[in-house]
Amino acid sequence: MTMAEEFDAIVVGSGITGGWAAKELTERGMRVLMIERGRMVEHQADYKNELVPPWEMPFRGLGDPALNRRDYAFQSKGMHFTEWSRDHFVNDRENPYKTAPDNPFQWRRGYQLGGRSLTWGRQCYRWSDIDFGANKADGHGVDWPIRYADLAPWYDHVESFIGVSGSKEGLEQLPDGIFQPPMPLNPVEVALKGRIAHKWPDRHLIMGRSANMTQERPGRAPCQYRNICARGCSFGAYFSTQSSTLPAATATGRLTVVTDALVDSLDYDPKVRRITGVRVIAAAGRKRTTYRSRMVFLCAGSINSVSVLLRSASEAMPHGLANSSGVLGRFLMDHALSMSVTARVRGFEKHVYFGNRPSSIIIPRFVNVTQQVDGLLRGYSFQGGATRRGWADSINEVGLGEELKAQASQPGDWTMLLGAFAECLPYADNRVALDYKNLDPFGLAQTRIEFSYGANESRLLAHARDEAKAMLGLMDADILSASADPGQGGTAVHEMGGARMGRDPATSVLNAHNQAHDIANLFVTDGAAMSSSACQNPSLTYMALTARAAAFAAEQVKSGRI
Amino acid sequence: MDQPGLRLSRREALEQAARWMAVVGAVSVVMPAVALGTEVASPGDEALGGMVLALLGHVIPETDTPGAGNPDNVQFVMRAVSDGLLGVRPDTLMHLHHDLRQVASGPFEQLPHMAQAVALAKIDVETFGPAQPAITPWLSTKALILIAYFTSEAGASQQLRYEIVPGRFDPDLPLDKDWKPLSNDWAANAIKKGIA
């Protein structure tokens, strides 16, 4: 074992929050080491499949089925996983975890520099006081130690930097932000928006707020409407670590990046109640190194950050680091996601569009905001959109020859999808733990995920299905499918919780600044910190929390408290 | 009763239909009860390749743009079937060869063009006829042929329009007679498996 150079801060992980932590800390004068367990991915140069046409891909973009079954059993089920983007997802066989075989948690992962910032869905929504006050209001979970006013300036800070396209709507449940011009709605969406507004003035169909830019920023071009973001974007048109935070952090001259290095655990000195080192195992050769710093930011993603803390158990903290409350690993959440309704819409046959809009519409939550519903806690929001089908619709049609060729080459039916993201309540039994009987290739206990949805999530999705049918019933439309099935946990890729924030050290892991109650120089700023799940995509909130925590941590260092 | 290696059981048919739904999105697939077949002998890769080449040409013939019948597409379809792409069973082509032989007077690849067309039209109508699509080897094979063609250079960039960098989004344009859809409209062709 070697004792490596001392840094002001070590950031574990290089995804959305790791990049933000590195940027904010280096810009505040700190020397930062960023540790990434996966390989280096250079912006632009390493997006190998970005421009490869389907006819040059071995399986035309659909992926090698044998390889996917063997190595990508979980990842290949995700919506952004394709033959082109496969390299941005983890090899499940080489990186195993334990989960219930009959209801497996779908843990989507990207072990490379940039993490899942390369493959995320890019939807950016502020949370409101309805969300930050939800736990206190109905007693499920602990009260958030912050409110919207605490985070609002940090939302401003993040949005200004990453570039978010969207429209200001003045909605209580979805606060406005600093937006670039929104992407446009297509004619079916415009029509549905109008009809919904006419029947339900409190419901709003609006363009999604997305980290796909509509205006350029320094070093980054606006969106080119390709909708192949997960391959990597050489235009830098969507926010990723590579396009945005890493260049900013690197420009300070105070960032060191180590890739291919797995963080095993954190060293803790009970005498001073501080983290003293970060133990790392090199992917190649398994050489062990301990890096030292004044503080640590855990940004490895909710489940991996919790796993690091659990692996860091010691005599002083036998149940895991920063776990005097006993809640570490518990209250894992993921949005309950269902394809509520798909419908074929008539009346727009003479309309087409050009380009691939990489963003969806959203109908923000109205349940228990403007419409109180007995028997339902919290709420849901819809995302989706209208598209005009293509040649794939001919797959199930009779016909051959020139007639089929001509027919398949025409624009097909308009279809509209409304999918619901329902808030998942925090349940103690939904948890991350370690399985010491099953080790991973590094010799570490595998992560075990126990997760299931509850009755409230099912009721929300059933309500969402019925409301989606009612809304699409305003159009001349045939319902093709309707569902209230939440599917398996992890499908929404919005895993949250496990090291929740709270006011009381007896019932939470982190304080109002994402600082461990038990350890002053330990911060956890990824999704693990979340105390509730709301029904909006959470990444923007992770970023704002990270930036806020970094500013606080830097002040603590300056004032000598850390 | 399931018979491994033969036609699809109802459960398998439902699973395969579900996988197709994931690929083709809003395409409506109606599941019938599936009759069980009997075991058939493999005619060999050469015969199957010849059959696939002929099928490609019948489904998507040459017009003012190239048709689907070329070695690259044969290779794709053969590989897709043998590797189980999208859940297609590896014995699909073998059973299709058998089915076509049943409605024709000999091995499909050896028939005159017109005889091939007649046999194929009969199978196509039986599969996709007015009632509902039937889960048959032809259902899977025809789907792979359409995928092969519209993801090939000719299908994607000549018959349709392939612009990997559109550069703009025009949300509402009038449909005129010369309009060519984008083959790289991933949402329209359901390469994506869900919502953003």
Side-chain angles (χ1 to χ4, degrees), chain A residues 60 79 351-352 389 397 417, chain B residues 24 124 142 148 172-173 195:
Chain A
R60 306 288 178 90
M79 69 176 68
H351 299 259
V352 289
R389 300 285 304 162
E397 297 294 328
L417 164 69
Chain B
V24 302
D124 193 60
K142 186 178 182 182
D172 190 3
L173 298 170
I195 64 170

Side-chain angles (χ1 to χ4, degrees), chain A residues 165-166 181-185 207-208 210 212-214 223 225 357-359, chain B residues 169:
Chain A
S165 58
M183 293 179 173
L185 300 174
M207 190 58 226
S210 174
N212 293 90
M213 300 194 306
T214 52
C223 181
Y225 296 97
R357 190 187 63 193
S359 184
Chain B
F169 180 64

Side-chain angles (χ1 to χ4, degrees), chain A residues 75-400:
Chain A
Q75 308 310 307
S76 61
K77 294 176 183 169
M79 69 176 68
H80 297 299
F81 182 98
T82 67
E83 191 173 14
W84 288 281
S85 64
R86 187 187 66 218
D87 289 348
H88 292 162
F89 290 86
V90 75
N91 183 312
D92 289 313
R93 180 176 56 83
E94 294 174 353
N95 298 276
Y97 65 99
K98 306 306 288 185
T99 184
D102 58 339
N103 185 26
F105 189 89
Q106 300 290 318
W107 190 13
R108 312 274 189 252
R109 296 169 289 168
Y111 291 168
Q112 66 270 325
L113 191 73
R116 291 188 297 188
S117 79
L118 291 172
T119 60
W120 68 308
R122 307 169 305 283
Q123 294 293 296
C124 288
Y125 300 105
R126 295 186 179 206
W127 288 24
S128 74
D129 271 336
I130 295 172
D131 305 308
F132 291 115
N135 286 2
K136 184 177 184 182
D138 63 28
H140 291 269
V142 295
D143 187 23
W144 279 86
I146 58 172
R147 289 295 184 266
Y148 178 69
D150 297 306
L151 213 49
W154 298 100
Y155 279 132
D156 290 350
H157 178 67
V158 168
E159 288 162 345
S160 300
F161 180 77
I162 69 175
V164 177
S165 58
S167 57
K168 295 195 175 191
E169 302 288 341
L171 303 175
E172 176 192 12
Q173 68 273 43
L174 204 68
D176 291 333
I178 297 174
F179 300 139
Q180 296 186 350
M183 293 179 173
L185 300 174
N186 65 40
V188 171
E189 294 161 347
V190 169
L192 182 59
K193 174 187 176 74
R195 292 175 201 190
I196 289 173
H198 181 72
K199 184 170 176 64
W200 293 287
D202 61 324
R203 298 186 188 183
H204 307 271
L205 186 158
I206 62 175
M207 190 58 226
R209 295 166 179 172
S210 174
N212 293 90
M213 300 194 306
T214 52
Q215 294 174 329
E216 66 181 324
R217 287 189 48 79
R220 300 173 59 198
C223 181
Q224 301 299 302
Y225 296 97
R226 302 185 297 166
N227 198 17
I228 51 175
C229 311
R231 301 183 195 181
C233 180
S234 290
F235 295 92
Y238 74 89
F239 168 80
S240 67
T241 296
Q242 275 84 346
S243 71
S244 305
T245 45
L246 191 61
T250 302
T252 65
R254 290 185 281 273
L255 178 68
T256 301
V257 177
V258 171
T259 61
D260 304 287
L262 170 70
V263 171
D264 168 3
S265 56
L266 309 181
D267 283 340
Y268 173 70
D269 183 345
K271 292 176 190 163
V272 294
R273 300 184 66 199
R274 294 287 189 273
I275 303 295
T276 56
V278 177
R279 297 180 181 225
V280 165
I281 307 172
R286 302 293 194 260
K287 180 186 175 189
R288 288 180 173 268
T289 303
T290 298
Y291 293 100
R292 302 206 171 278
S293 69
R294 300 171 77 170
M295 62 183 171
V296 172
F297 268 64
L298 272 184
C299 301
S302 304
I303 295 170
N304 274 324
S305 285
V306 169
S307 297
V308 169
L309 293 174
L310 291 171
R311 287 200 300 266
S312 304
S314 63
E315 191 174 340
M317 293 194 173
H319 303 297
L321 204 55
N323 192 23
S324 63
S325 65
V327 300
L328 178 65
R330 295 191 178 273
F331 304 101
L332 181 69
M333 300 164 281
D334 181 39
H335 288 141
L337 170 63
S338 183
M339 300 299 111
S340 302
V341 167
T342 58
R344 179 190 298 116
V345 179
R346 287 181 290 271
F348 300 87
E349 289 74 17
K350 294 181 179 176
H351 299 259
V352 289
Y353 54 83
F354 176 80
N356 293 317
R357 190 187 63 193
S359 184
S360 66
I361 60 99
I362 181 171
I363 300 175
R365 173 180 163 184
F366 48 86
V367 164
N368 294 330
V369 177
T370 57
Q371 175 192 348
Q372 300 302 313
V373 180
D374 289 341
L376 289 184
L377 292 169
R378 317 285 171 104
Y380 57 82
S381 60
F382 290 108
Q383 295 183 27
T387 56
R388 189 144 192 195
R389 300 285 304 162
W391 57 264
D393 267 8
S394 299
I395 282 176
N396 281 337
E397 297 294 328
V398 68
L400 298 164

